[in-house]
Amino acid sequence: MRTQPALASRRPTRRWLGALVGVVSAAAGLATSELVSGAFHQRVSPVIAVSESVIRLTPGWVIEHVISLLGHRDKPVLITLTLLGLAVVSALVGILSLRSILAAQGVFMAMGVVLVLAVHARLTSSSAIYIAPVLGVVVALGVLAVLAPMAANALPAAPREPAPWEKPGRPKGRADEFEQHDLSRRRLLVAAAAVAVGAVVVGGTGRVLAHSRAAVEAARRKLKLPIAARPAPVSADLKIRGVAPWMTGVGDFYRIDTALAIPQILPRDWQVRVHGMVDREITLTYQDLLDRGLKEAWITLCCVSNPVGGGLISNAQWSGVRIADVLAEAGVHPDADAVLSTSADNWTAGTPLAALTDDRDAMFAVAMNGEPLTPEHGFPVRMVVPGLYGYVSATKWVVDLEVTRFDRFSAFWTDRGWSANGPIKTESRIDVPSSGSNVKAGEVIVAGVAWAQHTGIDKVEVRIGAGEWVEAKLAAEPTIDSWRQWVYRWSATPGRHEIAVRATDTSGYTQTGDRVDVVPNGATGWDTISVQVS
Ligand SMILES: Nc1nc2c(c(=O)[nH]1)N[C@H]1C(S)=C(S)[C@@H](COP(=O)(O)O)O[C@H]1N2
Ligand SMILES: [Mo]
């Protein structure tokens, strides 16, 4: 039988071609995700995120063992192992693709979900972080869809015995067929090589782009700021499970910006220019700020896009230099009423001059919770202004302050239909119980946060069903610039209940129940939940 040896040698070829297709497709996808995360200056690429997830999911004693074995090389080794693992799985997917492209693509998509989850676990609150893994998967699926059929063509169909009615022996036809497969195989190899080279170039470019982030991270780590992380005042935090901690950890701090690529600015390259309607133009370097001495303040930032009950609000301790002092030195003209601030990536905000010159702690902030700002939150310097929504005040990566008049400019979001003025509206939120949950009859803790930055919270009231408004107990308020926790111990009776909350600030204003959307200057309405008591 002449076909026997041919059959034996064909099996491994089939596997090799399949594995090649799988590995090359995955490499193209991973390279794409490296390029995107590098171009966007994200802190970790999907591959690194997966490696870090592996570390997190590995029992501590195994890690200690590995570290004692490998020393400082544990990270590169882990990344190499992760890549090898991905290569093995991708090779199997490629072999599978010769049988069923759909099944293989299904596995790739599942791998994509793992990448997204790893990235999700590692970074915070900007949907841009998902672009890298998602584009990566799309590219991998696309390359697989092209290469898998090419591989199938390059493989001879399974040999079969001629049927009794067929004329035996068609040597010419078989030779043609083999030549055909040879050609297809060569084509496949060329295509796979091209994709592989492309992946190396694209992935390498991604790593080069990621380098500026790495340099900034290194500079950031080396900074020794004359500040210390101070714990939140104990009396401000009721420490109730499910209620947002009074002080938000940097990793949990909400993040909103228009920057796809996070600006990478070394402290030594940073400066801010203060100019416009002033007597003296002032330019400050990072060192100038440090030399002036840093002031600390707890300030709750809030996004104008925060819906009633939403989470686009966080509280941190900021360290920086008061903008009022800098403006006083510059000498502001009496007919100015606004400051137009611009970021390194040309985002702009218009802030009422008064908010930057009165006694509040509007600052050029260099640190958050005792640590230099993270690139995502504006490293090396950002603005923070108590009492104003971020879109009119909290310019990250700030490089320019022009003292001017509101009738002479319009800023990024005011160009897009949002109000020129954006004082934060007094609001309150129920954190526990969660809406739609089931609770047991008896004492139920209803608790959350309320805020009226730079005015202060005077009172928080809770209403059960159609009952009376009853006062909640308030935690301490170390500063009127931060939010305030509240708690109400409710004697819950069986049935379904609606719970609403409203705050009154120290100006005497009580939150309106009128529901207003976030556009153009912030939402209003009472946060209302529904619970089932059994
Ligand atoms: N450079 C720059 N600064 C910016 C923004 C931006 O898009 N670009 N967004 C602003 C908005 S809308 C808000 S709510 C706050 C959010 O700050 P955070 O991401 O540190 O929470 O930053 C402000 N500063
Ligand atoms: Mo915002």
Side-chain angles (χ1 to χ4, degrees), residues 95 210 354:
I95 295 168

Side-chain angles (χ1 to χ4, degrees), residues 306-358:
N306 191 36
V308 172
L312 297 179
I313 176 165
S314 303
N315 186 43
Q317 184 185 50
W318 305 92
S319 308
V321 166
R322 280 172 48 87
I323 295 174
D325 297 343
V326 177
L327 288 178
E329 267 170 49
V332 171
H333 294 178
D335 48 339
D337 66 2
V339 170
L340 175 65
S341 55
T342 306
S343 67
D345 61 337
N346 277 315
W347 183 84
T348 52
T351 311
L353 180 62
L356 300 178
T357 50
D358 65 15

Side-chain angles (χ1 to χ4, degrees), residues 433-439 496-499 528-533:
S434 55
S435 194
S437 60
N438 288 294
V439 296
R496 178 160 279 288
H497 300 277
E498 282 224 321
I499 309 175
T528 306
I529 65 164
S530 162
V531 292
Q532 181 70 39
V533 181

Side-chain angles (χ1 to χ4, degrees), residues 160-168:
R160 56 187 180 91
E161 291 297 317
W165 58 84
E166 286 177 315
K167 282 187 213 144

Side-chain angles (χ1 to χ4, degrees), residues 123-126 244-257 297-303 311-318 367-369 373-374 376-378 382-384 390 394 396 453 481-483:
L123 297 151
T124 47
S125 53
S126 164
W246 188 75
M247 165 182 158
T248 313
V250 174
D252 294 328
F253 206 96
Y254 86 93
R255 175 185 162 205
I256 293 285
D257 55 61
W298 291 97
I299 298 165
T300 296
L301 288 195
C302 185
C303 184
L312 297 179
I313 176 165
S314 303
N315 186 43
Q317 184 185 50
W318 305 92
M368 193 175 175
N369 293 345
L373 299 176
T374 57
E376 282 76 8
H377 291 291
R382 75 173 302 170
M383 285 171 60
V384 177
K396 306 193 264 191
Q453 286 92 325
D481 292 339
S482 286
W483 57 12

Side-chain angles (χ1 to χ4, degrees), residues 16 37 42 62 72 125 127 149 152 159 166 241 244 279 289 296 335 376 382 401 427 437 453 481 491 502 504 515 525:
W16 283 119
S37 70
Q42 288 167 347
V62 178
H72 289 314
S125 53
S127 34
E166 286 177 315
R241 247 186 103 118
D279 299 333
L289 288 186
E296 267 140 49
D335 48 339
E376 282 76 8
R382 75 173 302 170
L401 253 61
E427 268 289 333
S437 60
Q453 286 92 325
D481 292 339
S491 308
R502 71 176 187 192
T504 300
R515 280 256 170 181

